[in-house]
Amino acid sequence: MKKQRKNSNAGFSVGDLKRRCEDVSAILKVLSHPQRLMILCSLIEGEKTVGELEKSCDVSQSAMSQFLKAMRLEGLIDFRREGQFVYYRIADERLVELMTALHKIFCS
Amino acid sequence: MKKQRKNSNAGFSVGDLKRRCEDVSAILKVLSHPQRLMILCSLIEGEKTVGELEKSCDVSQSAMSQFLKAMRLEGLIDFRREGQFVYYRIADERLVELMTALHKIFCS
DNA sequence: TTTTCATATAAAATTATTATAATATCTTTA
DNA sequence: TAAAGATATTATAATAATTTTATATGAAAA
């Protein structure tokens, strides 16, 4: 009937993270779709054209364009035009850190 | 008109992560909702009853119960019953690692 | 200057998620 | 065993995300 001890916690004050749940979850929402996560993985390797991303991530032309636009509006990626091609790249370094962490946590 | 060099990449082979996009994005989807992220933050501090979580995360009784059930089915949390109270706790240590990384990346 | 290729936009259709309301279950206590 | 408190379930309503289809734009090549 008595209450158990607390679990050992994560070794950091979780208060900061709690205060940022809105922002952080918004970024995680972008990565929470398998194809968008795939797109970002591809972009980690270096900038890519829309067409290259379509092939390597198996996403339709229209869906790709819409995903890219949304991620751009989030400030996560950016692009440059070169002739008829458009090259996208990662614009937020925190994404690189995050995906590095994901790799460490889920691929070891 | 010539193609630019590749960006410097993240210092890890991204292939592993690509292969796991389905799984990883499924876990991130749980954290992609501000209130669920808040719930997990609270649980990092130690196990909590449903009622405690409702108050500290400002989630309705029904929504809380549904969130907890979904996260339990994902294997991310677990519970034990003690009298009329139900205590929830984190069941997947990768969550702790992940939130530690989120703290480092987004709260510094 | 028309055609073609790469990309973007818009709208509609489909599907998924979230929130809400009502009710049920289980435990404890009067 | 009836009442009260804690939690769960179910159904539904409301909203949001995704996919698909069609069309548009803008640059390059024929």
Side-chain angles (χ1 to χ4, degrees), chain A residues 33 35-36 39 59 63-71:
Chain A
H33 186 288
Q35 292 179 311
R36 280 192 306 256
I39 292 167
V59 179
M64 178 59 77
S65 194
Q66 292 176 73
F67 282 155
L68 292 172
K69 181 181 194 178
M71 294 195 280

Side-chain angles (χ1 to χ4, degrees), chain B residues 29 33 35-36 60-63 66-67 81-84:
Chain B
K29 177 170 278 180
H33 185 288
Q35 292 180 311
R36 280 191 305 256
S60 78
Q61 195 276 312
S62 177
Q66 290 177 72
F67 282 154
R81 177 151 221 150
E82 193 173 293
Q84 53 186 162

Side-chain angles (χ1 to χ4, degrees), chain A residues 50-86:
Chain A
V50 179
E52 287 171 336
L53 291 170
E54 277 167 38
K55 273 173 226 143
S56 69
C57 304
D58 192 40
V59 179
S60 77
Q61 195 276 311
S62 177
M64 178 59 77
S65 194
Q66 292 176 73
F67 282 155
L68 292 172
K69 181 181 194 178
M71 294 195 280
R72 183 163 54 73
L73 293 177
E74 265 308 300
L76 298 178
I77 61 179
D78 203 354
F79 70 96
R80 72 188 170 88
R81 174 150 224 150
E82 193 173 292
Q84 53 185 163
F85 298 94
V86 176

Side-chain angles (χ1 to χ4, degrees), chain B residues 54-89:
Chain B
E54 278 167 36
K55 274 174 224 143
S56 69
C57 304
D58 193 39
V59 178
S60 78
Q61 195 276 312
S62 177
M64 178 59 76
S65 194
Q66 290 177 72
F67 282 154
L68 291 172
K69 182 181 192 177
M71 295 194 281
R72 183 164 52 75
L73 293 177
E74 272 295 313
L76 298 178
I77 62 179
D78 203 354
F79 71 95
R80 71 188 170 88
R81 177 151 221 150
E82 193 173 293
Q84 53 186 162
F85 297 95
V86 176
Y87 288 86
Y88 279 85
R89 63 176 177 278

